[in-house]
Amino acid sequence: MNAYPRSATANAGANIALIKYWGVRDATLNIPLNDSVSFTLDTTRTTTTVTFDPDLPADELLIGGEPAAPAATERASRHLDILREMAGVSWRARIVSENTFPMGAGIASSASAFAALTVAAAAALGLSLDTRALSRIARRGSGSAARSIEGGFVWWHAGIDDATSYAEQIAPPEHWDLCDIVAVVEEGEKRVSSAQGHLLAESSPFLETRLSLVHKALPRVREAILNRDLATLGPIIETDALAMHFVMMSSQPRLFYWTGATLDILKAIERWRDEGLPVWFTIDAGPNVHLICEANHRDAVATAARSLPGVRDIIIARPGPGATLV
Ligand code: PMV
């Protein structure tokens, strides 16, 4: 490589897990305790430009035009070290990142951020990597980022080590017009990050129970996705999200991510289903509720969600493409 600086831009979506990742076998490599399944989202995305410049004294990170907090810059810098080592260079980089969704909306940006950062940095360094290799590297930035490399419906094989833990597409985005309507009840940073939370999973007496449920659920979830069968998928994803939150709530120290508004939405969803609206929920490491429905019920679900007093905002997403160079 002889032309400096070297620059590339990539775009990647956040994803919503239908079977969740909670708990790590290896916290450095982010090797999870269980396989997980998600779909990559079309509207909640990150675009990142990475410019390697031998004249820069240190890595720089700008998010939404503002210098990032030192801890975030340090995390991005450690991620670039993996790619720098592969390319055999030590150049520092300027990272410029923009999200299509507000940082404080309670939507995890780490999956889209690390997927976009991985793809942009690999291209800027002239590394030619297939999606499996990119997924393995993205995983080390944030576990769920492994899934955002792929588009549509995605399965992350937990694996047992760096080589065997990567995500693969089950079905492309156009396979099924499933919607994720995020009912935002609280904005701002979560109190305990998922990186810290994963380490606590082993302290819960319910972890083993959840993992055995997950093993039974996984093949059924795959079938339901391939058959576009929301009536089968819905109850399974709700049970898994609740099981994950029971693990969180029973770990030491306890992790309560819900607020009163979270529970109000879960009760409303049961009511709406009784009234004939086919909608199910999942919840990540935060209080917001993701309402999962098919496209023909999107407007009705969005209107119903907006009518709840605790809902401050809603974000609507569908299955979207994987991480790509811009
Ligand atoms: O990738 P992380 O460390 O942000 O963990 C994601 C954890 C959950 O969002 C709660 C579940 C998941 O599988 O996305």
Side-chain angles (χ1 to χ4, degrees):
M1 246 190 268
N2 43 24
Y4 307 111
R6 303 286 302 210
S7 187
T9 301
N11 175 271
N15 67 75
I16 182 66
L18 301 171
I19 294 292
K20 307 291 192 183
Y21 146 52
W22 196 249
V24 278
R25 173 197 286 267
D26 180 322
T28 309
L29 293 173
N30 288 337
I31 311 297
L33 293 176
N34 63 277
D35 290 20
S36 54
V37 175
S38 61
F39 64 100
T40 301
L41 305 176
D42 65 342
T43 51
T44 52
R45 300 188 73 90
T46 302
T47 301
T48 298
T49 300
V50 180
T51 306
F52 287 95
D53 183 346
D55 294 332
L56 273 180
D59 291 322
E60 293 171 8
L61 171 61
L62 287 168
I63 304 176
E66 301 286 329
T73 308
E74 168 63 19
R75 192 169 167 193
S77 189
R78 269 187 278 121
H79 195 67
L80 290 185
D81 286 343
I82 299 168
L83 290 138
R84 279 189 279 248
E85 196 184 320
M86 291 174 80
V89 300
S90 59
W91 312 319
R92 301 295 105 183
R94 179 172 301 109
I95 310 164
V96 179
S97 201
E98 304 282 345
N99 293 317
T100 57
F101 50 101
M103 282 281 278
I107 305 299
S109 56
S110 64
S112 53
F114 281 100
L117 180 64
T118 302
V119 170
L125 290 169
L127 295 168
S128 163
L129 302 171
D130 59 16
T131 48
R132 183 178 300 188
L134 290 166
S135 174
R136 287 171 47 209
I137 297 167
R139 184 198 73 234
R140 294 173 64 177
S142 173
S144 55
R147 298 188 306 240
S148 280
I149 292 292
E150 285 282 10
F153 298 83
V154 179
W155 184 297
W156 175 12
H157 303 279
I160 51 164
D161 56 16
D162 182 49
T164 53
S165 188
Y166 58 87
E168 249 177 358
Q169 188 182 73
I170 308 176
E174 56 281 6
H175 168 71
W176 193 11
D177 207 352
L178 207 58
C179 295
D180 176 12
I181 298 170
V182 192
V184 179
V185 302
E186 199 175 272
E187 290 152 341
E189 289 281 303
K190 48 191 170 217
R191 282 177 293 274
V192 178
S193 71
S194 41
Q196 292 168 278
H198 289 296
L199 301 174
L200 300 177
E202 307 263 13
S203 68
S204 163
F206 297 112
L207 177 67
E208 289 308 319
T209 305
R210 173 178 180 247
L211 291 176
S212 73
L213 286 173
V214 164
H215 293 310
K216 284 184 216 134
L218 281 161
R220 297 180 60 213
V221 162
R222 183 192 201 101
E223 274 295 297
I225 290 170
L226 294 178
N227 296 332
R228 302 183 194 92
D229 178 0
L230 186 56
T232 298
L233 184 69
I236 304 174
I237 69 172
E238 288 192 347
T239 298
D240 183 53
L242 292 174
M244 179 184 75
H245 280 268
F246 298 158
V247 169
M248 292 162 160
M249 290 176 193
S250 58
S251 66
Q252 287 168 1
R254 292 176 198 151
L255 290 176
F256 282 117
Y257 284 110
W258 297 10
T259 66
T262 309
L263 193 54
D264 289 343
I265 300 170
L266 303 196
K267 288 178 177 168
I269 289 171
E270 290 202 336
R271 207 167 58 234
W272 298 334
R273 267 209 304 269
D274 288 347
E275 291 163 9
L277 189 59
V279 53
W280 280 266
F281 68 81
T282 184
I283 313 171
D284 277 343
N288 299 332
V289 180
H290 294 250
L291 293 91
I292 307 294
C293 66
E294 292 187 278
N296 52 337
H297 295 111
R298 183 191 56 205
D299 294 345
V301 171
T303 304
R306 270 200 193 94
S307 75
L308 296 176
V311 175
R312 298 186 183 195
D313 194 8
I314 64 162
I315 295 171
I316 300 179
R318 302 155 97 154
T324 50
L325 282 170
V326 176

